[in-house]
Amino acid sequence: MLDYRIIIVPFLLSVCLTPLIKKYSYYAKAYAKENKRTVHHGIISRIGGVAIFLSFLISVTMFLNADRAIIGILLGGSLMFFTGLIDDLIDIKPMTKLAFELLSALILVYFGVRIDTIHVFNFVIDNDIICLLVTIFWVAGITNAINLIDGLDGLAGGMSVIILVVIASVSLMERRLDIAYITLILASATGGFLVFNAHPASIFMGDCGSLFLGFMISAISLLGFKGSTIITLALPLILLALPIIDTLSAILRRTLKGMKFSQADKSHIHHLLMKQFGHRNTVIIMCAITALFGLSAYAYLINTRIGVTVMVIILFGVELFIEKSAMISEKFHPILSVAAKFKRKSAES
């Protein structure tokens, strides 16, 4: 039976700690800087992730009996949190952050949280080196995907809560209480922070929050991948579709423009949506799409055909938005080009 204290305690801790962190930020001068790509104004704390981390850590100590895998996740997550915190306070180079992301991934591998086999249709890959590389790439990729999506009030936190709740729900179906407990604790700690981070935000989670959440989501999914037939890498991939698409689009866009990947811009999905729908509505839309992906994952468990159909429809809609908004490039519109050619041929005939 689920102990509801794992939801209540981290939430209350986060609600109590966040104002204290906000107050401390003014003394430490740890507030977000305004620049061409930011959407906020005024002095706003950028280390709200401290409240999420502390609430999570205290609650895990209270309610979980940490085994070797959990210890590895906590160590890797702590390293990722402190990396982000240092970046929030003094700004570190992107390659330095990446180096610590890779180190955090190696900590997971050392403690046994890794991919052992990769199933691709009827093929099974169990080569240690390939599985190691995929594990590292997975952790770094998901960590950066959550970090990149953290551009609007409540966006990264809201999407992370939805993702974590869906993973927890599926893990309960699979009777994986270890995964459910750690996931719900993290979701509740993030939910308490969202009380202050929802638009208009009075505090931001910063890199210490977004890198920590991204790492934890990637690590928890790896934990499930080792011992479950359903909680595989496919579920987080579905739930993280928007951040992953946004990250891949950013790579393509910056490559085509001759920019460095670490060079920030204002062409992310949330920036483009905000131009049309405003700040609050953009966050609602993106969280709603993430929730739809979560529902499609449930539908897939019940009926494969329905689940896949729903996923394809959502992805098709996202692709049309990317093409119409020129998110990658003015010349990137494969589906619209095909549709235009078909329309011309129909008109000629």
Side-chain angles (χ1 to χ4, degrees), residues 307-322:
V308 171
T309 302
V310 174
M311 290 177 205
V312 170
I313 291 172
I314 300 172
L315 287 171
F316 183 75
V318 173
E319 171 61 24
L320 286 180
F321 172 78
I322 290 172

Side-chain angles (χ1 to χ4, degrees), residues 320-340:
L320 286 180
F321 172 78
I322 290 172
E323 292 184 23
K324 284 195 169 185
S325 64
M327 181 177 166
I328 295 176
S329 168
E330 293 285 351
K331 298 179 181 179
F332 181 83
H333 38 69
I335 293 178
L336 291 177
S337 296
V338 171

Side-chain angles (χ1 to χ4, degrees), residues 68-86:
R68 181 176 172 81
I70 297 296
I71 290 172
I73 290 176
L74 293 178
L75 288 174
S78 297
L79 176 59
M80 208 69 268
F81 164 76
F82 284 110
T83 299
L85 183 61
I86 293 171

Side-chain angles (χ1 to χ4, degrees), residues 25-55:
S25 300
Y26 298 130
Y27 296 109
K29 296 184 178 180
Y31 19 82
K33 299 177 179 67
E34 293 184 45
N35 54 48
K36 290 187 290 184
R37 66 185 181 91
T38 56
V39 296
H40 77 279
H41 300 285
I43 298 175
I44 302 178
S45 168
R46 64 185 293 190
I47 57 171
V50 175
I52 298 174
F53 177 74
L54 290 178
S55 303

Side-chain angles (χ1 to χ4, degrees), residues 14-249:
S14 188
V15 167
C16 293
L17 285 171
T18 302
L20 297 177
I21 300 301
K22 184 167 61 173
K23 189 174 182 180
Y24 170 78
S25 300
Y26 298 130
Y27 296 109
K29 296 184 178 180
Y31 19 82
K33 299 177 179 67
E34 293 184 45
N35 54 48
K36 290 187 290 184
R37 66 185 181 91
T38 56
V39 296
H40 77 279
H41 300 285
I43 298 175
I44 302 178
S45 168
R46 64 185 293 190
I47 57 171
V50 175
I52 298 174
F53 177 74
L54 290 178
S55 303
F56 170 77
L57 205 60
I58 293 169
S59 300
V60 165
T61 304
M62 292 173 62
F63 299 114
L64 284 186
N65 294 319
D67 58 12
R68 181 176 172 81
I70 297 296
I71 290 172
I73 290 176
L74 293 178
L75 288 174
S78 297
L79 176 59
M80 208 69 268
F81 164 76
F82 284 110
T83 299
L85 183 61
I86 293 171
D87 188 43
D88 288 330
L89 295 174
I90 61 174
D91 290 328
I92 58 178
K93 294 180 180 179
M95 291 307 295
T96 303
K97 279 198 291 187
L98 179 60
F100 280 109
E101 289 170 16
L102 299 181
L103 181 57
S104 296
L106 290 174
I107 289 173
L108 284 181
V109 172
Y110 177 78
F111 281 87
V113 183
R114 56 167 295 173
I115 296 170
D116 293 325
T117 55
I118 303 170
H119 298 267
V120 183
F121 299 108
N122 293 325
F123 297 97
V124 178
I125 302 172
D126 56 5
N127 181 276
D128 284 341
I129 295 177
I130 294 176
C131 289
L132 172 64
L133 292 175
V134 172
T135 299
I136 293 171
F137 180 79
W138 171 258
V139 173
I142 298 305
T143 300
N144 281 295
I146 296 296
N147 183 238
L148 283 175
I149 211 73
D150 184 28
L152 298 181
D153 298 350
L155 181 56
M159 290 181 67
S160 294
V161 168
I162 292 170
I163 291 164
L164 290 165
V165 168
V166 172
I167 292 175
S169 301
V170 176
S171 65
L172 285 172
M173 290 172 58
E174 286 286 287
R175 301 187 180 186
R176 288 296 304 271
L177 288 180
D178 56 338
I179 299 174
Y181 270 46
I182 193 171
T183 307
L184 287 174
I185 289 172
L186 183 57
S188 296
T190 308
F193 167 76
L194 281 174
V195 172
F196 305 91
N197 183 237
H199 185 70
S202 61
I203 186 170
F204 299 144
M205 69 169 63
D207 276 7
C208 63
S210 59
L211 290 177
F212 174 66
L213 282 175
F215 174 85
M216 291 301 295
I217 290 171
S218 69
I220 289 169
S221 63
L222 289 175
L223 183 65
F225 181 74
K226 286 181 67 63
S228 173
T229 56
I230 293 176
I231 309 173
T232 65
L233 295 185
L235 178 59
L237 279 173
I238 294 166
L239 294 170
L240 288 160
L242 274 185
I244 290 171
I245 290 170
D246 190 46
T247 302
L248 294 176
S249 298

